[in-house]
Amino acid sequence: MSYVDEVYAMVVEKNPAQPEFHQAVKEVLESLRVVIEAHEDEYRKDALLERIVTPERQLLFRVPWVDDKGQVQVNNGYRVQFNSAIGPYKGGLRLHPSVNLGIIKFLGFEQIFKNSLTGLPIGGGKGGSDFDPKGKSDREVMAFCQSFMTELCKYIGADTDVPAGDIGTGAREIGYLFGQYKRIRGLYEGVLTGKGLSYGGSLARTEATGYGLLYLTNALLQDHGQSLSGKTVVVSGAGNVAIYAIQKAQQLGANVVTCSDSTGWIYDKDGIDVELLKEIKEVKRARLSEYAAAKPSAEYHEKKNGEHGVWTVKCDVALPCATQNELDLDDAKALVANGVYAVCEGANMPTTLEATEFLQKSGVLFVPGKASNAGGVATSALEMSQNSERLSWSFEEVDQKLKGIMENIYKNISAAAKEYGMEGNYVAGANIAGFLKVADAMKAQGIV
Ligand code: NDP
Ligand code: 2IT
């Protein structure tokens, strides 16, 4: 058996019941096959692959908190410190009932290569909890965040591990987490990113993942002699990534006709009204059905099992920005039948392996999340730089740097794919380019 196949079999055996983690590892290892085979003896002797698929440290902890009725609730807390070869662990905290160790490991593993692609000195990590902020009062969310940080604060710090937002963790949660860290550790430092602007946050971090996705998509289209102007775009999700992806796509001249949440989806032929969407999702924390109630041009479709939602809408560009495995083979077939030109992932691993393969074989330009959604974590790294030098840069300065980073990522993944004989395969390009830097740093640092 080849080294790549052996390591994948080992991952499946040693990490039972973690299908998302297996999926993420499989995608990366398949892409690396050509690189590994060229240096198989050296990598095997150093157990490089075994080390890269094994987290440096996994923290699992109890998070007890008291709800508004006086009842004690208990959630699971996680932080997986996956790889620190190129910098302190960096990655978000997900708060969603579906969170388990396998999900956090898949996200942490992806983060290693994504962070490497940014060109900035950040290692890979991820954390979170099965706590569901939906429907909770602000006090309940604060109680949870304080309890979560009371344990987590022992293991993180501005130079060791710097968490941030992800699904269910936005500005409110980051504020409560930061307050508790400062209170217990007595340190005013950049231990979290995505902070509010009044206490060390960076301008443009809120917009960064969505804007970055569009900067990369724009670079991709330009490289193929196209532009976003006049293109029809479908977006899934209605959270942080989706909202600012829609906004930037519109600024670049596209017509964005869909968005979705966990209960249903919107088709608005006149184009999504971002201000209305922000009011419903960021301020009222309400359901998308309210969008259609407020805007006559919009249709609301309740989510049903087996229904393919936004992917059935005819479009030129599709941007999945909600969650993992939200775009399956049937969705990919529907997109191709409707003539889709490019799919760029805003979420982490939103496209199944079968769907990815089908899109690529059908000639659709496909960019994986670890490249196209890296603008969020890249801007987090810019927030860390600003915190270290105790300065704040202007919106324009951060936004310009973000744009440069995304264009550079596109250039690098494109060049890596070409160099290894897979021109246009951006999955391979992203995995190879991300891996080579981490592997080089791991080799230089010896067996640790
Ligand atoms: P948010 O919590 O702000 O928004 C998530 C959106 O996706 C919401 O509209 C939510 O619906 C929907 N959603 C979440 N889970 C499900 C599900 N199981 N089924 C259907 N819909 C779902 O999260 P973000 O926008 O921050 O994150 C979206 C994706 O982008 C995730 O994959 C995340 O890992 C990734 N990402 C985020 C970055 C960031 O900086 N925030 C950076 C890079 C990647 P509802 O409104 O009903 O909750
Ligand atoms: O998936 C991601 O890259 C994020 N959720 C952002 C991580 C970060 O540290 O900003």
Side-chain angles (χ1 to χ4, degrees), residues 407-419:
E407 290 169 354
N408 214 28
I409 292 176
Y410 175 69
K411 242 184 14 221
N412 291 341
I413 65 173
S414 190
K418 201 167 173 185
E419 187 183 337

Side-chain angles (χ1 to χ4, degrees), residues 90-93 107 111 114-115 126 162-166 193 205 209 348 373-374 376-378 380:
K90 183 84 198 84
L93 296 172
L107 290 163
Q111 203 83 44
K114 180 195 308 196
N115 293 3
K126 200 85 186 191
V162 183
D166 193 77
T193 58
R205 175 62 187 89
T209 312
N348 285 308
N373 74 32
V377 75
S380 279

Side-chain angles (χ1 to χ4, degrees), residues 141-207:
V141 171
M142 181 170 72
F144 167 81
C145 288
Q146 290 182 339
S147 179
F148 184 85
M149 184 53 87
T150 299
E151 183 61 23
L152 187 68
C153 75
K154 300 168 192 166
Y155 311 102
I156 63 175
D159 293 314
T160 45
D161 183 357
V162 183
D166 193 77
I167 290 179
T169 306
R172 174 182 60 172
E173 290 74 20
I174 294 292
Y176 294 146
L177 291 164
F178 184 76
Q180 185 73 349
Y181 179 86
K182 180 166 62 85
R183 187 176 191 198
I184 299 181
R185 298 286 304 270
L187 289 172
Y188 204 110
E189 60 170 5
V191 65
L192 292 160
T193 58
K195 299 186 292 299
L197 297 178
S198 56
Y199 64 94
S202 172
L203 284 159
R205 175 62 187 89
T206 306
E207 294 84 355

Side-chain angles (χ1 to χ4, degrees), residues 94-96 98 106-107 111 114 126 134 165-170 205-206 208-210 236-243 260-264 281 286-288 303 320-324 326 346-350 369 373-377 380:
R94 178 173 293 189
L95 300 181
H96 193 272
S98 62
F106 118 63
L107 290 163
Q111 203 83 44
K114 180 195 308 196
K126 200 85 186 191
K134 254 198 213 109
D166 193 77
I167 290 179
T169 306
R205 175 62 187 89
T206 306
T209 312
S236 66
N240 175 262
V241 179
I243 288 173
S260 66
D261 69 7
S262 50
T263 58
K281 283 292 167 183
R287 294 179 44 178
L288 265 187
K303 186 174 172 179
C321 297
T323 194
Q324 65 274 357
E326 54 163 320
N348 285 308
M349 209 171 75
N373 74 32
V377 75
S380 279

Side-chain angles (χ1 to χ4, degrees), residues 31 119 182 226 276 282-283 292 304 356:
S31 296
K182 180 166 62 85
Q226 302 271 336
L276 176 60
E282 290 182 348
V283 182
K304 292 189 209 91
T356 301

Side-chain angles (χ1 to χ4, degrees), residues 100-137:
N100 57 43
L101 184 59
I103 299 256
I104 299 299
K105 278 165 68 179
F106 118 63
L107 290 163
F109 185 70
E110 288 285 289
Q111 203 83 44
I112 302 170
F113 307 98
K114 180 195 308 196
N115 293 3
S116 169
L117 286 173
T118 66
L120 300 168
I122 40 179
K126 200 85 186 191
S129 171
D130 58 357
F131 173 78
D132 186 1
K134 254 198 213 109
K136 303 288 191 301
S137 69

